[in-house]
Amino acid sequence: MIPVEDPRPAARLARRRFLTVTGAATALAFATNLPGGSSAAAATDKLHDDPFTLGIASGDPLPEAVVIWTRLAPRPYEPLGGMPYHAVEVEWQVATDERFRRIVRSGRATARPEYSYSVHVDVRGLQPSRQYWYRFKVGRYLSPVGRTRTTPAPGQRVDHLTFAVASCQAYTDGYYTAHQHIAAEDVDAVVFLGDYIYEYGISASGGLRNLAEPVPSQFRTEADTLDRYRLQYALYKSDPDLRAAHQAAPWIPTWDDHEVQDNYAGLISRTNAPVEDFLVRRASAYRAYWEHMPLRSPAPQGPNYMLYRRFTFGRLAELNVLDTRQYRADQASSDGWKVDSEERRDPARALAGAQQQRWLLDGVRTSHATWNLLANQVIMSRMDQDPTAGDLYNMDAWDGYAAEQKVTLDGLAMLRGRNPVVLTGDVHAAYALDMKRDFADPASQTYGVELVASSISSGGNGSEISATGQKFLDSNPHLKLVNERRGYLRVRLTERELRADYRAVPYVDRNDAPVKTISSFTVEAGNPGLHAA
């Protein structure tokens, strides 16, 4: 059985002072500032190993609140993570300093077996636009220390914001070195656009990771039950770089398809399983997702979960988080890249769905923020794979749902003055696109931009640009960049300008790759369009 890997702080996290607080100092501060209790000790007397193997996280920040998360799993690849089958009391603290001399909130939460001993504390009463540190304690065990931030207050003037944008981290396709570099960035939040896990079975070697210790045999089969999805998250969170990125900043996550099944669409599975059977699987996947993400309670009830939501960062930015999987109709023309068809253009076929679409456009319309960002899973702009008259469209992207795509894009075009910016993942490549009134006419009006982050690891080492990538560039004049290395996107906002830095690593089949900015673009507020920086 492979152990949960220990973080490598000496080499990669020394820049993060909050991660260098010694265990002894942390223990002393916790014992001094947080009252203990016999009930907590009694509930944890059977814990003989560190329960914080899966790390800690924070997310979904608000001006006065943030969610802090952990899951107790002393032996993460065993049933229930090796926990005894009873509820366990978890103590938590939030402070304004990394050594917890100024604790502003503290309390106790209950980790329950029915939720796989996950803890989601919605910490309230915090100050806007403020940095905090947090940690947990169970019995004699202390968690690592995490850093988080609240958002600016509504109407607050904000000089600048910085986000890291990431997606697609197949465990078997390589190491999460990009997350190591995200942890070293000074970002206000990490926006994760989906494919946090892949449901596929995992070989003993861990694929391109070529592990010295074999992955346990229970990972060979595809995840399709609640216990199996929980195992998949445990394995993914064994990666120290992923844990470090969670510790460094609050996350605002959404899902795509692989959190359930590749290219599933609403009620339709990839294999066209009976709907009743697939909804059982979807319910298990959604439950496991919530259990492992820093999301607010309540947990999903059955196969449905309201994941789309909005975050406001003072007067500078608003972030609309979309869900383009749960409500969509089956892909047209049996999926894949296909020519135009009546099915593709059928107005009855939903991607985000009418309710979410109204929520999105109404929100952008009434926004008072300078920049309006859309955290989106699959490419929203038109993308043609073939430069000839026989256009080819991706049936799994917005192009495959042409009627809803047109309503959404026309709505954003009417809101050009709101500076719409679409943030996208999914395709395992870095793209930069101008959004056009008429994508076939390079001279038509630009009303926004779409910034596509490459994958953290999915696709392996990748390359600068493949033959297919070059074909995309040749076929789509509004497409300004294609790069197929692994990495992430760094977006910096001011009142006057957005700057997008595409960050990439040269390899993921081994650890500790360096990172560099491969391309940068700016966008002027009030003047949509990409400019090479």
Side-chain angles (χ1 to χ4, degrees):
M1 177 179 295
I2 65 172
V4 174
E5 301 171 65
D6 291 328
R8 296 180 288 275
R12 63 182 50 168
L13 297 179
R15 288 164 287 185
R16 289 300 183 196
R17 292 183 58 244
F18 72 92
L19 294 179
T20 63
V21 179
T22 67
T26 303
L28 177 62
F30 220 117
T32 302
N33 294 310
L34 184 64
S38 59
S39 62
T44 58
D45 58 359
K46 295 183 179 179
L47 285 181
H48 303 298
D49 298 292
D50 179 12
F52 298 110
T53 59
L54 304 185
I56 61 174
S58 70
D60 276 18
L62 301 173
E64 78 292 345
V66 69
V67 177
I68 59 174
W69 170 93
T70 192
R71 179 191 159 201
L72 309 182
R75 294 183 295 280
Y77 308 140
E78 293 184 9
L80 295 174
M83 291 291 293
Y85 194 78
H86 56 69
V88 174
E89 189 175 81
V90 180
E91 300 170 274
W92 58 269
Q93 292 177 329
V94 175
T96 57
D97 68 298
E98 63 188 302
R99 294 188 179 273
F100 290 80
R101 296 188 181 99
R102 295 180 296 278
I103 296 168
V104 294
R105 290 290 182 272
S106 63
R108 291 178 169 86
T110 302
R112 301 184 183 279
E114 57 265 36
Y115 296 111
S116 197
Y117 298 94
S118 63
V119 176
H120 302 72
V121 181
D122 190 1
V123 183
R124 296 279 170 169
L126 303 177
Q127 296 298 309
S129 199
R130 184 70 185 264
Q131 185 166 270
Y132 292 95
W133 285 261
Y134 65 96
R135 62 189 178 186
F136 299 90
K137 180 173 183 285
V138 176
R140 62 189 177 90
Y141 294 101
L142 291 167
S143 77
V145 174
R147 186 180 68 174
T148 192
R149 294 180 182 179
T150 52
T151 61
Q156 179 179 340
R157 184 175 292 278
V158 181
D159 291 336
H160 64 269
L161 291 167
T162 305
F163 300 106
V165 182
S167 69
C168 302
Q169 50 188 32
Y171 182 88
T172 56
D173 283 5
Y175 288 93
Y176 298 158
T177 312
H179 277 310
Q180 172 190 339
H181 297 293
I182 288 175
E185 302 270 12
D186 185 18
V187 298
D188 293 279
V190 176
V191 181
F192 197 85
L193 300 174
D195 293 346
Y196 189 96
I197 64 165
Y198 283 65
E199 77 279 21
Y200 305 136
I202 297 171
S203 67
S205 66
L208 286 181
R209 291 179 178 235
N210 197 24
L211 299 168
E213 294 289 335
V215 175
S217 60
Q218 59 263 43
F219 288 94
R220 301 294 178 270
T221 60
E222 183 170 309
D224 62 358
T225 67
L226 179 56
D227 285 343
R228 184 64 185 82
Y229 281 115
R230 286 168 169 170
L231 279 172
Q232 204 82 335
Y233 282 99
L235 181 64
Y236 275 58
K237 285 178 177 290
S238 73
D239 187 279
D241 294 328
L242 176 57
R243 298 201 306 274
H246 274 298
Q247 281 180 241
W251 279 44
I252 300 175
T254 187
W255 55 38
D256 193 16
D257 53 340
H258 285 287
E259 286 87 355
V260 180
Q261 185 189 49
D262 180 34
N263 280 25
Y264 88 94
L267 306 178
I268 310 300
S269 77
R270 184 179 181 89
T271 58
N272 291 311
V275 170
E276 296 82 0
D277 293 345
F278 182 65
L279 285 180
V280 172
R281 176 175 182 169
R282 197 175 94 168
S284 297
Y286 285 8
R287 174 71 162 265
Y289 180 82
W290 179 85
E291 289 176 348
H292 292 85
M293 292 294 113
L295 296 167
R296 287 185 168 80
S297 296
Q301 301 300 311
N304 305 304
Y305 185 59
M306 175 68 82
L307 190 61
Y308 65 85
R309 59 211 192 279
R310 181 174 291 121
F311 299 89
T312 300
F313 294 79
R315 293 170 56 182
L316 186 54
E318 200 155 83
L319 176 66
N320 302 273
V321 182
L322 304 186
D323 173 2
T324 61
R325 283 292 163 187
Q326 186 172 179
Y327 312 107
R328 68 160 67 192
D330 197 9
Q331 291 90 348
S333 304
S334 301
D335 209 350
W337 286 84
K338 301 293 173 59
V339 297
D340 194 13
S341 65
E342 289 186 9
E343 185 181 6
R344 182 183 87 92
R345 291 180 273 107
D346 183 354
R349 298 182 65 256
L351 181 70
Q355 179 176 314
Q356 185 177 185
Q357 185 182 62
R358 286 193 300 272
W359 167 85
L360 170 64
L361 294 177
D362 287 348
V364 176
R365 184 179 300 110
T366 58
S367 172
H368 298 290
T370 300
W371 300 97
N372 285 274
L373 312 178
L374 284 65
N376 166 67
Q377 290 76 43
V378 293
I379 290 180
M380 185 177 287
S381 302
R382 177 182 166 183
M383 281 284 284
D384 176 17
Q385 194 188 47
D386 189 343
T388 68
D391 297 343
L392 290 176
Y393 300 104
N394 183 356
M395 296 297 109
D396 190 55
W398 283 78
D399 271 336
Y401 301 79
E404 187 170 301
Q405 179 189 42
K406 185 178 189 307
V407 172
T408 303
L409 295 182
D410 286 351
L412 293 176
M414 294 293 292
L415 299 170
R416 180 176 182 270
R418 297 286 191 267
N419 296 307
V421 176
V422 179
L423 307 174
T424 301
D426 181 58
V427 294
H428 310 167
Y431 294 167
L433 305 100
D434 282 334
M435 302 181 76
K436 293 284 190 177
R437 281 281 194 174
D438 181 357
F439 286 101
D441 179 8
S444 70
Q445 184 187 57
T446 299
Y447 59 83
V449 299
E450 183 164 7
L451 309 173
V452 183
S454 186
S455 62
I456 293 292
S457 65
S458 301
N461 289 333
S463 61
E464 296 301 314
I465 187 169
S466 65
T468 299
Q470 188 61 53
K471 184 182 286 188
F472 281 139
L473 273 177
D474 295 340
S475 306
N476 300 276
H478 58 287
L479 178 60
K480 307 302 180 183
L481 169 72
V482 175
N483 185 283
E484 295 166 89
R485 292 293 186 192
R486 306 302 139 230
Y488 59 97
L489 176 64
R490 184 177 63 201
V491 177
R492 182 179 173 87
L493 303 170
T494 68
E495 286 287 346
R496 298 181 60 183
E497 183 181 82
L498 175 152
R499 180 184 177 96
D501 294 318
Y502 289 85
R503 307 271 282 164
V505 296
Y507 51 83
V508 293
D509 58 353
R510 55 197 188 278
N511 272 311
D512 297 322
V515 69
K516 68 176 182 179
T517 298
I518 55 173
S519 192
S520 297
F521 295 90
T522 60
V523 182
E524 298 174 22
N527 183 27
L530 294 163
H531 304 277

